[in-house]
Amino acid sequence: HADIAMYKIKHTSRNDYLFYRHELQVMSTFRSEVEQRLHVALREEAFELYFQPMVNVAGGIVAAEGLLRWHDEKLGWVGPQEFIPVAEECGLIVEIGQWVLRQTSLLISQHLDWFTEGKLRYISINISPRQFSQPHFVAQVLEIIEEFTFPHSYLRLEITEGVAMENINSAIYIMNALIVHELFFMLDDFGSGYSSLSYLHQLPLKSVKIDRSFVSKIDQNTDNQVIVEAIIYISQHFSLECVVEGLETSEEYTYFHEKDVAAIQGFHFFKPLPRGAFVTLLSSLG
Ligand code: C2E
Ligand code: MG
Ligand code: MG
Ligand code: MG
């Protein structure tokens, strides 16, 4: 019996090993394929920027977030969760990020009336950690936004806690260098990583986005209610706006009716929309 048991262990682990090795190969093939295709995508402008409206507690549009979409001829649709980490690792994120910034600045400068007529307060875009910690990040951002004419406060930059963790003092320094140009920051996915409440008052932030994981089924989950209420309370104290991410149901919405949150983002209201549909939507608002 011992022999049989030993035989099974060896066999299973060998199979597991082969399977694992196979998985790794598939993963690294996919990775290098994605990396190759990302170069092509940049060259051939295969990216698209979608915009997801955010609403106030009454349900009226107040802002939007720009989100990358990529359809590749060979790979089909590849989601940002898949290609952003690859782009981050190989450094292409810097160029991709510049493209996102330029596209958003162009859209804002073409639709200043949205902002002056009170249809939108800002459009935010995501800045990845590698992009943020690049040596000339501030100069590059300023150079791109200066290509266009618009009040910079119409654009906001979303960063995650990851950028602060590496070196909080340099993060503060970089942020302030852009804040003097009226470019403000939002802390994205708050609570999802190695969150520290101390970031909320150390970093010069305008708003904090409460991670989707706390919002999902909040009407049924008293633990998450306590966490979210604590984040809202702390944010008020530090004069930070709260944004709720990933709200999907009317029950979750009901929970936030009486809460002091500046904006809600989620499929319950809007999915990310292609640029054309977003422009049509905003133009249709009274
Ligand atoms: P994120 O910045 O936290 O963006 C919000 C994500 O949640 C988006 O996913 C959005 O489509 C999704 N979402 C919004 N409402 C709901 C909802 O009600 N339910 C669910 N389940 N999801 C919802 P997406 O577009 O797939 O982007 C994923 C992540 O990829 C983003 O998370 C962001 O970290 C990154 N990303 C997207 N575009 C860019 C970009 O231009 N630059 C950088 N650096 N990262 C980007
Ligand atoms: Mg974001
Ligand atoms: Mg987010
Ligand atoms: Mg999120």
Side-chain angles (χ1 to χ4, degrees):
H1 286 284
D3 279 357
I4 292 171
M6 200 57 218
Y7 174 83
K8 271 193 180 155
I9 288 166
K10 277 191 180 155
H11 242 72
T12 320
S13 54
R14 169 121 187 103
N15 280 341
D16 280 356
Y17 167 73
L18 287 176
F19 180 71
Y20 181 62
R21 202 177 67 178
H22 177 71
E23 287 268 278
L24 280 181
Q25 269 164 5
V26 169
M27 263 159 58
S28 73
T29 311
F30 181 72
R31 253 188 131 71
S32 53
E33 182 115 36
V34 167
E35 185 179 332
Q36 273 173 14
R37 301 300 301 172
L38 280 175
H39 283 279
V40 178
L42 262 176
R43 220 174 35 235
E44 298 179 356
E45 303 238 338
F47 295 115
E48 262 188 276
L49 203 55
Y50 277 42
F51 295 90
Q52 185 178 25
M54 301 177 207
V55 301
N56 57 24
V57 283
I61 295 175
V62 287
E65 177 178 10
L67 294 160
L68 266 173
R69 293 292 176 267
W70 176 35
H71 185 267
D72 180 70
E73 261 175 36
K74 276 172 127 180
L75 303 168
W77 286 99
V78 188
Q81 311 271 36
E82 283 182 286
F83 73 79
I84 297 285
V86 180
E88 177 88 11
E89 208 165 283
C90 68
L92 275 176
I93 192 66
V94 173
E95 263 184 86
I96 295 173
Q98 290 172 341
W99 183 85
V100 169
L101 179 61
R102 190 171 277 115
Q103 291 301 308
T104 310
S105 301
L106 174 66
L107 182 72
I108 293 172
S109 67
Q110 289 171 334
H111 298 279
L112 295 176
D113 55 308
W114 291 345
F115 301 86
T116 55
E117 291 170 12
K119 293 175 174 179
L120 276 189
R121 292 179 52 214
Y122 59 85
I123 298 179
S124 62
I125 57 171
N126 295 282
I127 303 295
S128 80
R130 173 131 180 206
Q131 221 183 321
F132 185 89
S133 38
Q134 248 205 296
H136 305 295
F137 176 68
V138 171
Q140 277 172 3
V141 168
L142 293 176
E143 194 180 311
I144 292 172
I145 62 179
E146 298 299 339
E147 292 171 21
F148 306 90
T149 308
F150 65 93
H152 298 156
S153 62
Y154 296 174
L155 177 70
R156 282 197 191 177
L157 305 181
E158 296 191 10
I159 55 169
T160 51
E161 292 147 314
V163 307
M165 276 175 58
E166 288 199 16
N167 184 341
I168 187 142
N169 290 325
S170 92
I172 293 168
Y173 183 84
I174 292 166
M175 290 167 77
N176 281 327
L178 289 170
I179 290 168
V180 298
H181 295 274
E182 297 280 291
L183 205 46
F184 300 117
F185 288 85
M186 305 173 74
L187 190 61
D188 203 359
D189 301 333
F190 184 73
S192 67
Y194 300 93
S195 301
S196 163
L197 289 176
S198 72
Y199 294 144
L200 286 186
H201 85 107
Q202 286 188 65
L203 295 174
L205 295 161
K206 197 76 163 178
S207 28
V208 50
K209 297 185 81 173
I210 303 174
D211 191 64
R212 185 168 92 214
S213 56
F214 301 120
V215 177
S216 179
K217 302 199 179 72
I218 190 158
D219 48 297
Q220 303 161 33
N221 187 326
T222 49
D223 290 351
N224 284 351
Q225 289 174 15
V226 171
I227 293 170
V228 164
E229 269 156 45
I231 298 174
I232 294 173
Y233 179 78
I234 293 164
S235 302
Q236 276 173 341
H237 180 79
F238 294 121
S239 302
L240 295 168
E241 293 172 0
C242 270
V243 178
V244 173
E245 281 195 313
L247 190 138
E248 293 183 347
T249 69
S250 52
E251 289 81 9
E252 290 160 8
Y253 179 36
T254 305
Y255 174 81
F256 283 101
H257 268 159
E258 309 286 297
K259 299 285 181 286
D260 184 14
V261 296
I264 305 175
Q265 185 179 357
F267 295 166
H268 179 66
F269 298 100
F270 294 100
K271 294 211 159 149
L273 302 168
R275 181 197 164 103
F278 178 68
V279 170
T280 305
L281 173 71
L282 280 161
S283 306
S284 76
L285 297 178

